[in-house]
Amino acid sequence: MRIIVEKNYEAMSKRAAEEIAKVVNNKPNCVLGLATGSTPEGLYKELISLNKEEKVDFSKVTSVNLDEYVGLSGEHPQSYRYFMNTNLFNHINIDKSRTFVPNGLVKDIEEECKRYDERINELGGIDIQLLGIGNNGHIGFNEPSEFLYMGTHLTGLAESTIEANSRFFDSMDEVPKKAITMGLGGIMKAKKILLIANGEKKAEIIAKLVEGKISTQIPASILQVHHDVTIIVDEAAASLIKK
Ligand code: PGA
């Protein structure tokens, strides 16, 4: 794992945007695996600026997102489709019909999951997968558990995740309890992985990710065996790494 420590959130976001822009510039028709959450907001702002300055062109890019809440339509302000449209897609020259987010409203979730994985395969796989990390070590909505899943699947959210995400909703009760998420297999098949984290709150999990054992209780720890992982963190998130 390549670990890059930047001074603060802005520098982390800028550096991560450069990594993504590099992939797009090397392969204009690449497949970007994208993520939601507070962490990538700054990185998406940087990508918007780079696009406006004509330093990166998204016109041939396809994107696939990691996850979506079950039960929220793409118009719901807390859905991940809505997040992606408002934080990135509406502001860059990407073809929206080539942006994929799991559909949280489908009746047949199993079929939706199967189709999602087939689509990624048909696209030739993900060139770079962007990841945030939950305080509990989740990536996408692959929560700590006795078992991990290969493919895209329906999952319940961990209590700690519901609590963490309740900051975006009026109350804990309104946070969806289920989601569709890409599995660990889907993430690990990406050619490159870029994980970003900032702030003191992430310091403990980043230290475990970088220096701890591989465990299904820390789903992100499986990234230790991927051949091309870059972790970009700010100084606060790096503060508990020993070496
Ligand atoms: P955050 O979420 O970026 O809002 O901290 C990260 C995650 O849960 O994956």
Side-chain angles (χ1 to χ4, degrees):
M1 292 198 286
R2 185 162 72 115
I3 299 157
I4 298 169
V5 182
E6 293 287 350
K7 187 133 205 73
N8 53 32
Y9 179 72
E10 287 67 36
M12 176 206 78
S13 302
K14 224 177 160 92
R15 183 66 191 261
E18 282 163 14
E19 292 287 327
I20 292 186
K22 213 187 320 170
V23 172
V24 178
N25 287 334
N26 282 337
K27 186 179 175 188
N29 64 345
C30 67
V31 179
L32 298 180
L34 298 177
T36 52
S38 304
T39 316
E41 283 176 7
L43 156 106
Y44 291 151
K45 283 203 182 90
E46 291 292 336
L47 287 180
I48 293 167
S49 300
L50 290 174
N51 187 229
K52 294 220 184 317
E53 292 161 17
E54 297 186 5
K55 289 185 178 144
V56 61
D57 173 17
F58 293 97
S59 61
K60 295 192 182 74
V61 166
T62 301
S63 72
V64 290
N65 260 76
L66 279 172
D67 46 16
E68 179 61 285
Y69 288 123
V70 167
L72 298 193
S73 82
E75 279 83 52
H76 190 290
Q78 296 310 333
S79 74
Y80 288 168
R81 160 54 75 182
Y82 188 91
F83 175 100
M84 290 310 301
N85 286 347
T86 52
N87 283 282
L88 185 65
F89 301 149
N90 290 349
H91 311 286
I92 59 173
N93 69 335
I94 198 165
D95 174 355
K96 275 254 191 83
S97 70
R98 302 188 64 84
T99 66
F100 299 101
V101 180
N103 181 346
L105 282 187
V106 284
K107 281 217 176 70
D108 191 341
I109 291 183
E110 216 172 294
E111 180 59 26
E112 169 71 5
C113 293
K114 206 173 119 218
R115 241 188 308 139
Y116 206 70
D117 287 336
E118 281 167 4
R119 174 167 288 136
I120 295 171
N121 280 336
E122 284 160 16
L123 288 166
I126 296 167
D127 290 291
I128 184 166
Q129 177 65 56
L130 173 67
L131 298 172
I133 184 167
N135 296 329
N136 65 358
H138 75 203
I139 45 178
F141 276 129
N142 293 278
E143 301 283 19
S145 153
E146 194 179 342
F147 306 104
L148 298 175
Y149 291 81
M150 276 291 285
T152 300
H153 60 282
L154 173 69
T155 182
L157 305 193
E159 207 49 48
S160 58
T161 300
I162 293 171
E163 208 180 304
N165 292 6
S166 67
R167 68 189 194 278
F168 301 113
F169 293 84
D170 289 336
S171 72
M172 285 260 284
D173 291 345
E174 282 182 31
V175 186
K177 309 292 181 288
K178 288 184 179 160
I180 296 174
T181 183
M182 221 185 263
L184 266 310
I187 293 171
M188 289 294 281
K189 275 192 242 165
K191 290 165 197 125
K192 270 178 180 298
I193 290 182
L194 173 62
L195 185 142
I196 55 174
N198 69 289
E200 234 174 273
K201 271 196 200 155
K202 296 282 168 77
E204 201 175 317
I205 194 64
I206 286 296
K208 281 188 187 158
L209 164 64
V210 173
E211 298 178 328
K213 293 200 171 75
I214 297 173
S215 158
T216 62
Q217 296 302 329
I218 302 179
S221 64
I222 195 173
L223 299 177
Q224 291 179 20
V225 298
H226 191 282
H227 65 284
D228 190 349
V229 179
T230 301
I231 297 177
I232 306 181
V233 289
D234 70 352
E235 284 179 358
S239 59
L240 296 179
I241 299 175
K242 290 198 188 74
K243 280 179 223 148

